[in-house]
Amino acid sequence: MNLVQPRLSKGLRDLLPEDTLARQAMIDVVRVVYELYGFVRLTTPAVEYLDVLSGSGGKEIQESIFVVQNPEEERLGLRFDHTVPLARVIAQYRDLPRPFRRYTIGPVWRADKPGPGRFREFVQFDIDAVGVRSDLADTESCGGILD
């Protein structure tokens, strides 16, 4: 009988309990601050249609997407950031209140070659204010969070 060797793909890592607890403690602090300043959590799937993810992105974007296929043989990709899923949500759910101040904290994947200290899967924190006409929304977000 051939035994499967336990191994991880390059650029991926396991977080053992001690690191998982430390990461969750950090996430909890950030979440409380985001919510304190009026942001609401938005959760989107890790997988999006490939044409939605790639959009009008160039070659660099195309090369950074992990491409997958569902049982219906549709071409999909793992999200490489949280901006594209947010744009899809805003376009798909036009009745969301404006301004829509959302945050998300979750894993993203990039298929580029990982160098030292870089990973293909990592957690990304993201906040956005959609439907604000002033550039002050970005300043307010940074100022409020940095207080």
Side-chain angles (χ1 to χ4, degrees):
M1 176 166 77
N2 293 335
L3 296 178
V4 174
Q5 292 295 321
R7 64 196 186 281
L8 282 173
S9 178
K10 187 174 184 175
L12 302 179
R13 64 182 168 166
D14 293 315
L15 287 180
L16 299 178
E18 182 178 337
D19 291 329
T20 298
L21 289 171
R23 175 184 277 187
Q24 190 58 52
M26 177 188 60
I27 289 170
D28 291 344
V29 168
V30 172
R31 180 186 53 76
V32 166
V33 172
Y34 285 170
E35 291 174 2
L36 180 66
Y37 287 92
F39 290 85
V40 295
R41 187 159 193 171
L42 175 66
T43 304
T44 59
V47 177
E48 296 278 352
Y49 281 105
L50 192 56
D51 64 324
V52 172
L53 270 179
S54 57
S56 60
K59 183 179 179 183
E60 184 178 329
I61 294 294
Q62 301 291 330
E63 292 175 352
S64 71
I65 299 173
F66 275 95
V67 178
V68 297
Q69 184 172 299
N70 65 12
E72 293 77 29
E73 299 185 12
E74 297 170 308
R75 290 180 46 83
L76 308 167
L78 295 177
R79 65 177 178 231
F80 55 86
D81 71 10
H82 293 291
T83 304
V84 173
L86 171 62
R88 178 192 51 76
V89 165
I90 294 302
Q92 192 170 356
Y93 302 97
R94 296 188 179 267
D95 59 340
L96 285 172
R98 300 291 195 279
F100 182 60
R101 295 167 54 96
R102 81 88 171 103
Y103 76 91
T104 191
I105 302 168
V108 295
W109 295 264
R110 296 201 179 147
D112 54 350
K113 185 176 180 181
R118 294 184 52 98
F119 298 95
R120 288 183 169 152
E121 177 186 20
F122 54 95
V123 171
Q124 186 179 64
F125 296 69
D126 195 33
I127 61 171
D128 285 287
V130 177
V132 178
R133 298 190 190 279
S134 170
D135 291 338
L136 293 176
D138 290 334
T139 304
E140 178 190 35
S141 296
C142 292
I145 290 172
L146 296 177
D147 279 350

